[in-house]
Amino acid sequence: MSKQGTSRTALMAAVALVCAVTVLAAPGAAFAAPAPTPSPSTTPAGSKPLKTKDLEAVRAKIDKLYHDAAVATDAYNAATEKAEKQSVEIVKLAQKIAAGQSRLDRLRSSAGAAAREQYRTGGIPRETQFLLSGDPQLFLDNAGRLHQGQQATKNLLSQLTKTQEELAQYADDASAKWKQLDEGAKEKAAAKKKVEKQIKEAQQLENKLEKKERERLRKLEEEAEQKRQTAWLSSGVLKEINGKATPAGKKAVQFATAQLGKPYVWGAEGPKSYDCSGLTSQAWAAAGHGIPRTSQEQWKQLKHIDVKDMRPGDLIIYHDDASHVGMYIGDGAIIHAPRPGRTVTVAGAGSMAILGVVRPDA
């Protein structure tokens, strides 16, 4: 079977599972990056396992940490995208400065040639000498030349002034861009520090649990997702959703499907790993539609669609702060890159709090 056929089969099997049980389990447990070796449990041997309510509290804490990490990841990605654009603008300004300086040098050379000519003729332009020669015919022949020469000198001085002003403006713009780039670098560094801090704390909480407690924690996560998905499907929403994918939407879904099983790594855009918006932005880039890099900007800039009108390829934005995004693939399912420690997977479209739906190829 071809690679594409294998991916298609895997996708259909996952979607069929959604329809069969009306819910989807949480994604796989493989870690995105080399995970820290689980530290020995801090729970004394033979002690009682955590009560369910205590484990729920741990789960809520871990969820919040990963949520905060996702928000910080969006800030990091936004700073990265902004820096890339500013770098391009700085290069363009540098090219304009180089071209302007070259033009200024040519204008100065022309002005110098005119000055040397004036020096050779004793300070009196050659055309003026002709006018003063006393020859009427020569006067008439060169009157036009004198006017042209004066106009040329005026134009030369005007071009010199304009070019100097443009160069000064380009230099000011470049200086401002460099300042913005430096500020962006600080924002990016702060976001990176926060992401790493939140993820580290979440992993430390998980690693303190006994193996059986980690298994129970995972089950609680699955149950929470299943509960939300069941409630979403029970609303009858799928009866209203029957949109067909566009050719571009199909390409985006095919790209996302081919990434199933690849690890989540914050800030990653492929090809070996992805974060949530890295996956969706690259999928739509592969479909020929460039979209914003972050989930928050995807929510701000792309056209909003009613849930009942969504079709495969559309993006579902999650949480009140638009900190997560997944791609709708039909039959109540999405493909998304969940969080650190998970892989790109198929999940229930309603397994998280839906903020809204956007359409990249509207």
Side-chain angles (χ1 to χ4, degrees), residues 3 7 251-264 269-274 278-280 282-283 286 335-337 343-346:
K3 181 178 180 181
S7 297
K251 289 181 180 179
V253 170
Q254 288 170 355
F255 179 93
T257 302
Q259 313 314 312
L260 287 171
K262 292 185 178 180
Y264 176 106
E269 299 179 79
K272 295 182 179 180
S273 57
Y274 297 87
L279 175 65
T280 55
Q282 288 302 306
I335 288 178
H336 73 143
T343 61
V344 176
T345 189
V346 176

Side-chain angles (χ1 to χ4, degrees), residues 106-135:
R106 292 196 300 271
L107 290 171
R108 283 174 173 167
S109 178
S110 297
R116 289 191 294 273
E117 175 64 18
Q118 188 177 26
Y119 176 79
R120 285 196 295 269
T121 58
I124 303 176
R126 186 167 296 172
E127 290 83 354
T128 304
Q129 292 179 16
F130 286 143
L131 292 178
L132 299 176
S133 66
D135 185 334

Side-chain angles (χ1 to χ4, degrees), residues 35-69:
T37 301
S39 59
S41 172
T42 56
T43 305
S47 63
K48 293 182 179 180
L50 290 176
K51 294 180 180 179
T52 299
K53 67 176 183 178
D54 295 328
L55 203 55
E56 278 284 9
V58 172
R59 184 183 70 82
K61 176 66 174 176
I62 290 173
D63 282 350
K64 186 179 186 306
L65 287 168
Y66 279 129
H67 172 268
D68 291 346

Side-chain angles (χ1 to χ4, degrees), residues 22-327:
T22 74
V23 293
L24 284 170
F31 274 78
T37 301
S39 59
S41 172
T42 56
T43 305
S47 63
K48 293 182 179 180
L50 290 176
K51 294 180 180 179
T52 299
K53 67 176 183 178
D54 295 328
L55 203 55
E56 278 284 9
V58 172
R59 184 183 70 82
K61 176 66 174 176
I62 290 173
D63 282 350
K64 186 179 186 306
L65 287 168
Y66 279 129
H67 172 268
D68 291 346
V71 174
T73 297
D74 242 20
Y76 175 89
N77 291 336
T80 300
E81 185 177 39
K82 185 178 179 181
E84 290 173 352
K85 291 179 179 178
Q86 289 171 341
S87 296
V88 170
E89 290 171 355
I90 288 173
V91 170
K92 288 181 179 178
L93 284 170
Q95 292 172 338
K96 287 182 178 180
I97 290 173
Q101 187 61 56
S102 178
R103 185 183 180 203
L104 186 62
D105 291 342
R106 292 196 300 271
L107 290 171
R108 283 174 173 167
S109 178
S110 297
R116 289 191 294 273
E117 175 64 18
Q118 188 177 26
Y119 176 79
R120 285 196 295 269
T121 58
I124 303 176
R126 186 167 296 172
E127 290 83 354
T128 304
Q129 292 179 16
F130 286 143
L131 292 178
L132 299 176
S133 66
D135 185 334
Q137 185 60 50
L138 190 59
F139 177 91
L140 292 174
D141 290 344
N142 290 282
R145 295 180 184 176
L146 176 60
H147 176 72
Q148 292 174 358
Q150 291 173 334
Q151 191 62 42
T153 300
K154 183 179 179 180
N155 290 342
L156 178 61
L157 293 174
S158 176
Q159 290 180 50
L160 272 167
T161 300
K162 182 180 179 181
T163 301
Q164 288 173 327
E165 291 174 348
E166 288 177 346
L167 281 172
Q169 185 61 54
Y170 292 154
D172 288 343
D173 290 346
S175 177
K177 291 297 180 186
W178 275 113
K179 184 178 180 181
Q180 292 173 2
L181 193 63
D182 182 58
E183 292 173 350
K186 293 176 182 178
E187 292 175 1
K188 183 177 176 180
K192 180 177 184 291
K193 184 177 181 180
K194 185 172 182 179
V195 173
E196 293 174 340
K197 179 177 180 292
Q198 303 294 340
I199 292 175
K200 183 179 179 180
E201 286 185 21
Q203 291 176 337
Q204 286 176 338
L205 276 176
E206 290 181 297
N207 291 339
K208 287 179 179 179
L209 299 174
E210 293 280 359
K211 180 180 178 181
K212 289 184 178 180
E213 289 175 334
R214 287 197 295 270
E215 292 173 353
R216 287 173 58 208
L217 178 67
R218 185 54 178 275
K219 186 173 180 59
L220 288 174
E221 292 173 354
E222 293 174 1
E223 289 174 353
E225 292 179 358
Q226 291 171 0
K227 184 177 180 180
R228 288 191 290 266
Q229 175 72 354
T230 299
W232 186 69
L233 292 174
S234 297
S235 69
V237 64
L238 282 187
K239 296 178 181 178
E240 300 181 18
I241 302 174
N242 54 16
K244 303 298 181 183
T246 61
K250 289 180 180 179
K251 289 181 180 179
V253 170
Q254 288 170 355
F255 179 93
T257 302
Q259 313 314 312
L260 287 171
K262 292 185 178 180
Y264 176 106
V265 173
W266 70 270
E269 299 179 79
K272 295 182 179 180
S273 57
Y274 297 87
D275 63 19
C276 67
S277 57
L279 175 65
T280 55
S281 60
Q282 288 302 306
W284 272 101
H289 290 264
I291 64 173
R293 169 64 176 87
T294 70
S295 58
Q296 292 176 341
E297 287 304 311
Q298 289 170 7
W299 175 243
K300 289 179 183 178
Q301 297 184 36
L302 300 180
K303 183 176 181 179
H304 290 202
I305 301 296
D306 286 340
V307 172
K308 64 182 178 60
D309 296 324
M310 69 180 175
R311 63 196 184 199
D314 287 344
L315 306 181
I316 302 181
I317 308 297
Y318 294 96
H319 311 306
D320 290 342
D321 52 9
S323 57
H324 191 70
V325 59
M327 178 178 291

